[in-house]
Amino acid sequence: MNNTGQIEEDAPPGWRYYLKMGIRHRWWLIMSVILCWAAALVMGLVLPARYKSETLVLVEQESVPAQYVTPNVSVDLQQRLQSLTEQTLSRPRLLQIISQFHLYGHVPGQAVSDDAVKRMSGDISVELIRSSVRGDIAAFKIIYSGSSPEQAQKVTSSLASLFIHDSLNRQQRMSEETTSFLEKQLDEARKDLEKQEALLREFRTRNLGELPEQMQGNVQILSGLQDRLQSATASLHQAEQQRLYLSSLIGWSGNAMANSPAGAETAGIASTPLDEQIDKMKADLAALEGHYSPLHPDVIHLKEKIENAEKMKRQMESGTHSAKGEGRGGAPEIPRGQRAISPLAQIQSQFKANELEITNRRQEIKDLERQIGQYQARLNLTPVREQQLAEVTRNHEQSRAHYESLLGKKLQSEMATDLSKRQENGQFRTIDPATLPQRPYWPNRLKFSGIGLILGTMLGLLAIVLKETVDGRIYGEEDLSRWATAPVIATVPPLRTGAEEKRQTRMRNAEIAVASVLA
């Protein structure tokens, strides 16, 4: 029996023990729950009510596709919203709203306190709403909690208007700043392009005739000059030969007039070097006609010389025959000097013309050689000028490309700026106006009541445990078996008087009423 009692003493108490303990001290639990619930309910009624109003702002795409007008302001939407939120919730804006709606006990004409600004900043919140498809920001909510429904609605509407207005102004300002920056860059690029164009124009002017695109023309001109030089050299050689011939002819004519009789003149003329010269010129003409056409200047010039020589020969022969006839007929004889003066004068005139032609030919050859040297020098400098021109042209093309690129960007930026000015709401549009709250969100009386009940229950249970710990009385057979080793033989039932029965009945009714109220 002792062992059995020891086992029962060591066994932990069951749920029945705790249930009886709770029933035994139930009034501690009931009073604790009632007091905590009443305190929470009173607190919910006493605390000032707060009303929350919210508005939904939609994030819209650009009204004109980017393929037609490229935006000149590309800022991440998350960063843009954060910047706009900071700007809208800045101290000057909050001071403006507090003064406008007289919030937080503000009196007109007085300065707004820092505590009021902090309280309003804490009463404003911005919530982002993302798209379920791509996760992009589709809209956002602006929420404000005020002391009255009308006040919360007005302040929320004002905040949304300021938010959209600030967004539009910020976008326009950034767009105008971008356009202004591009204009400055375009002016600098225009000056640089004008400078490069002046350098290119100066280079072409300074090196005219030595440029790479003129190389083919220089080659053709040089080839023509070389042909002319060859022709002038051949003409000079012919003129020099003609000068030798005329010199010998003048010398022969002088000797003939001085020493030969009339019969000898005829014989001498028949064997003059003029015939040999004519034959030689005819042979040269045949050689030239084999290489050149009849219209070639050298062929024409040689034909004229042959014709002049033959004409001279005929004149000399006619003069000699006339002199012989007059001598035989008995007429007075004409002196030899007078008979031969006309052919000799012609020969001397031709000799002078030949001297002038030789001088002209030599000068022509000198000029041609000088021009050939100039064009050869130009051709030699063409590779150098080509390299220099490539560098100057490359700088010019780079400046032109940079200028055209900036010009295109500036025009696009001007279109984007004009578009941003025409848009009334920019990228944000209010689709859900500020709501008028019907009930306060704070304090939540139902939540307060629940918290009071839970807190009262916990305090009541704690009070029961403490009461049972300090209470040394024994309330039943189980309590007795824990302290006594002897077994329980018999129990005496409770004996109540009539007054005790009535009092117990009243207590039970009160408990039922309290339980009903709590429920």
Side-chain angles (χ1 to χ4, degrees):
M1 293 178 66
N2 294 335
N3 293 336
T4 303
Q6 185 67 29
I7 292 172
E8 291 178 357
E9 181 181 358
D10 295 338
W15 61 274
R16 294 178 182 275
Y17 171 78
Y18 292 109
L19 179 60
K20 291 178 180 180
M21 183 176 62
I23 294 174
R24 187 165 53 245
H25 302 290
R26 58 186 177 275
W27 278 105
W28 287 87
L29 178 62
I30 292 173
M31 294 306 296
S32 176
V33 170
I34 292 175
L35 291 176
C36 289
W37 173 73
L41 186 60
V42 171
M43 186 179 296
L45 294 173
V46 171
L47 290 176
R50 302 289 295 176
Y51 296 87
K52 182 181 293 185
S53 177
E54 61 182 29
T55 180
L56 183 62
V57 180
L58 178 66
V59 179
E60 292 184 327
Q61 300 296 330
E62 298 293 339
S63 58
V64 179
Q67 60 182 351
Y68 299 111
V69 179
T70 304
N72 60 349
V73 178
S74 58
V75 182
D76 183 69
L77 188 56
Q78 180 71 35
Q79 297 179 356
R80 184 178 177 186
L81 288 175
Q82 182 178 359
S83 177
L84 289 174
T85 303
E86 293 177 355
Q87 182 178 354
T88 305
L89 302 182
S90 61
R91 181 180 176 83
R93 289 301 175 86
L94 296 181
L95 292 175
Q96 176 184 351
I97 297 175
I98 293 173
S99 300
Q100 180 180 357
F101 296 100
H102 309 297
L103 305 176
Y104 307 103
H106 175 260
V107 178
Q110 294 182 358
V112 180
S113 62
D114 294 338
D115 182 63
V117 175
K118 292 180 181 179
R119 288 178 59 187
M120 183 171 185
S121 178
D123 291 337
I124 300 173
S125 61
V126 179
E127 296 180 359
L128 301 180
I129 301 175
R130 297 186 178 273
S131 173
S132 58
V133 179
R134 296 183 299 177
D136 298 336
I137 298 176
F140 59 92
K141 287 183 178 180
I142 300 177
I143 305 171
Y144 175 74
S145 58
S147 58
S148 66
E150 294 78 8
Q151 183 189 75
Q153 184 184 30
K154 291 179 181 179
V155 173
T156 303
S157 178
S158 178
L159 286 172
S161 300
L162 286 176
F163 198 96
I164 296 175
H165 183 264
D166 291 344
S167 172
L168 182 59
N169 289 342
R170 179 180 178 86
Q171 185 176 4
Q172 291 181 359
R173 185 173 64 256
M174 294 178 64
S175 180
E176 292 174 355
E177 290 175 356
T178 302
T179 304
S180 177
F181 172 76
L182 289 175
E183 287 179 353
K184 293 180 181 178
Q185 295 295 319
L186 185 63
D187 290 339
E188 295 180 0
R190 183 186 296 109
K191 293 178 182 178
D192 182 68
L193 178 60
E194 292 175 353
K195 178 182 178 182
Q196 295 298 329
E197 288 179 348
L199 291 176
L200 180 61
R201 184 167 55 252
E202 180 185 358
F203 179 83
R204 288 183 173 277
T205 304
R206 186 175 65 252
N207 301 286
L208 188 63
E210 301 175 2
L211 300 176
E213 60 267 20
Q214 297 175 333
M215 179 178 178
Q216 187 65 28
N218 291 336
V219 171
Q220 294 178 357
I221 293 175
L222 180 61
S223 178
L225 291 175
Q226 290 176 346
D227 292 340
R228 288 176 58 189
L229 177 63
Q230 183 178 3
S231 177
T233 303
S235 299
L236 177 63
H237 292 164
Q238 292 179 2
E240 290 177 347
Q241 293 178 2
Q242 181 72 13
R243 183 181 61 180
L244 294 175
Y245 161 71
L246 293 175
S247 298
S248 62
L249 189 62
I250 291 174
W252 173 80
S253 298
N255 293 332
M257 286 186 297
N259 301 321
S260 299
E265 288 176 2
T266 304
I269 291 174
S271 60
T272 58
L274 184 59
D275 294 330
E276 298 178 359
Q277 185 66 25
I278 292 174
D279 294 338
K280 184 176 183 304
M281 288 189 294
K282 288 182 178 181
D284 293 340
L285 177 62
L288 288 176
E289 288 178 347
H291 293 84
Y292 303 104
S293 64
L295 298 179
H296 195 273
D298 294 341
V299 176
I300 296 175
H301 184 67
L302 189 57
K303 285 182 179 180
E304 291 178 356
K305 287 185 177 181
I306 293 173
E307 183 179 356
N308 293 332
E310 290 178 347
K311 182 178 179 181
M312 186 184 300
K313 178 181 178 181
R314 287 193 299 269
Q315 289 178 356
M316 293 178 66
E317 290 178 351
S318 62
T320 304
H321 288 303
S322 60
K324 288 174 60 178
E326 289 175 357
R328 291 174 183 176
E333 184 179 358
I334 300 174
R336 284 197 304 271
Q338 293 180 1
R339 290 198 305 266
I341 189 170
S342 179
L344 181 60
Q346 290 181 0
I347 295 173
Q348 290 176 349
S349 175
Q350 290 181 3
F351 182 80
K352 292 180 180 180
N354 181 261
E355 287 287 340
L356 182 60
E357 181 182 2
I358 291 174
T359 302
N360 293 334
R361 291 294 182 181
R362 288 177 177 175
Q363 184 63 35
E364 181 183 3
I365 290 173
K366 184 177 179 181
D367 295 338
L368 289 174
E369 289 177 347
R370 180 179 56 80
Q371 294 179 14
I372 289 173
Q374 291 178 354
Y375 280 95
Q376 287 178 345
R378 291 180 179 181
L379 292 175
N380 293 334
L381 289 175
T382 298
V384 179
R385 298 293 181 248
E386 183 177 6
Q387 184 177 1
Q388 295 174 351
L389 180 61
E391 182 177 358
V392 176
T393 305
R394 181 174 59 253
N395 295 335
H396 175 263
E397 292 299 328
Q398 290 177 353
S399 299
R400 176 178 291 277
H402 181 58
Y403 174 78
E404 292 177 351
S405 175
L406 287 176
L407 180 60
K409 292 178 180 178
K410 175 180 173 293
L411 295 177
Q412 288 289 342
S413 180
E414 289 179 347
M415 293 175 62
T417 302
D418 184 66
L419 178 63
S420 65
K421 291 180 179 179
R422 292 175 181 270
Q423 291 177 344
E424 296 181 356
N425 295 330
Q427 198 174 0
F428 305 109
R429 182 169 61 89
T430 303
I431 60 174
D432 189 6
T435 59
L436 180 65
Q438 301 298 323
R439 60 177 58 89
Y441 81 97
W442 173 267
N444 191 336
R445 296 182 177 88
L446 182 61
K447 185 182 294 184
F448 270 51
S449 299
I451 294 174
L453 291 175
I454 294 173
L455 183 59
T457 303
M458 294 176 63
L459 291 177
L461 294 175
L462 181 62
I464 292 173
V465 172
L466 294 176
K467 176 64 176 175
E468 188 68 22
T469 302
V470 301
D471 192 2
R473 291 178 292 178
I474 297 174
Y475 291 96
E477 182 181 352
E478 292 182 1
D479 292 343
L480 180 61
S481 63
R482 289 179 176 275
W483 298 101
T485 57
V488 177
I489 298 174
T491 61
V492 179
L495 300 175
R496 300 184 180 90
T497 63
E500 291 177 347
E501 290 288 343
K502 293 180 180 180
R503 184 171 61 85
Q504 187 176 4
T505 302
R506 288 195 299 271
M507 292 296 293
R508 187 179 295 110
N509 293 335
E511 291 175 357
I512 294 173
V514 171
S516 300
V517 171
L518 290 177

